[in-house]
Amino acid sequence: MGRLVTGHGVRGLARVKPFNPTSPTLARCEAVWLVHEASGRRERFQVRESRRHKGHFLLGFHGIDSLNALEPWIGSTVEADAESLPSLEASELYHFEAVGLEVRTVAGEVLGSVVRVMPLPAQDVWVIHGPGQNGRTREVLLPLAENVVREIDLTTRTALVDPPPGLIEP
């Protein structure tokens, strides 16, 4: 959901940069996982407070009440259990649900798989890696617009898209 970038204040609040700045999910979670890749540490924390602050979220965790206690977790990714996330509308999906989708055009061309989602001010963009020329990986940046993404099937992990002319040609 985001990355713990630094501490805030003397009570050990965590300043978290959300991967999707428009998502309210971080403000609604009762518990999150902190995953510190460099040290291999992973721990679940109950959230005692949460609020937006200058494009970030400030999160307070039970058991962390000072900047010294927070310091080992700086640089961690902030994750949540999927079942604890709020329900979405039928036309919405979480970024983690898009990662790994196989993307095909309406003409039947396989573009590849979604490797990440870039949240941009106008709309999200899927970063798709697929087969390219001479054995290289081709990267396609596909805007998530209703006229481009025609169908998403999370059961079969596929997406059907109709990119505008000139978007995916080499």
Side-chain angles (χ1 to χ4, degrees):
M1 298 190 325
R3 182 165 305 280
L4 196 167
V5 291
T6 189
H8 180 88
V10 296
R11 296 182 304 130
L13 293 178
R15 184 185 301 249
V16 176
K17 182 176 182 179
F19 295 140
N20 180 355
T22 62
S23 173
T25 305
L26 267 172
R28 296 180 183 166
C29 286
E30 295 179 5
V32 296
W33 290 89
L34 297 182
V35 180
H36 195 263
E37 290 182 25
S39 67
R41 295 177 62 193
R42 174 181 169 87
E43 191 169 332
R44 188 172 193 260
F45 290 94
Q46 293 293 317
V47 176
R48 66 177 149 80
E49 66 180 280
S50 174
R51 66 180 188 269
R52 289 184 182 269
H53 180 74
K54 298 181 179 178
H56 292 75
F57 281 87
L58 297 179
L59 300 178
F61 304 118
H62 289 283
I64 295 180
D65 57 2
S66 70
L67 288 177
N68 287 339
L70 180 67
E71 189 174 337
W73 294 104
I74 292 176
S76 297
T77 56
V78 179
E79 302 176 353
D81 294 322
E83 57 272 3
S84 70
L85 298 174
S87 300
L88 298 176
E89 299 293 323
S91 63
E92 299 175 321
L93 75 155
Y94 285 106
H95 287 186
F96 76 87
E97 294 175 311
V99 173
L101 288 175
E102 180 184 86
V103 181
R104 293 179 180 266
T105 68
V106 291
E109 179 186 3
V110 176
L111 296 180
S113 297
V114 177
V115 295
R116 67 185 170 100
V117 179
M118 294 189 323
L120 299 178
Q123 63 205 14
D124 290 347
V125 172
W126 282 351
V127 179
I128 301 166
H129 286 180
Q133 295 179 349
N134 302 325
R136 294 182 179 171
T137 299
R138 176 174 72 165
E139 183 174 275
V140 175
L141 303 178
L142 191 75
L144 269 94
E146 286 184 37
N147 62 336
V148 176
V149 179
R150 299 300 175 123
E151 182 180 313
I152 296 172
D153 187 338
L154 293 176
T155 304
T156 61
R157 304 290 303 149
T158 58
L160 184 65
V161 300
D162 188 12
L167 185 66
I168 59 170
E169 285 80 17

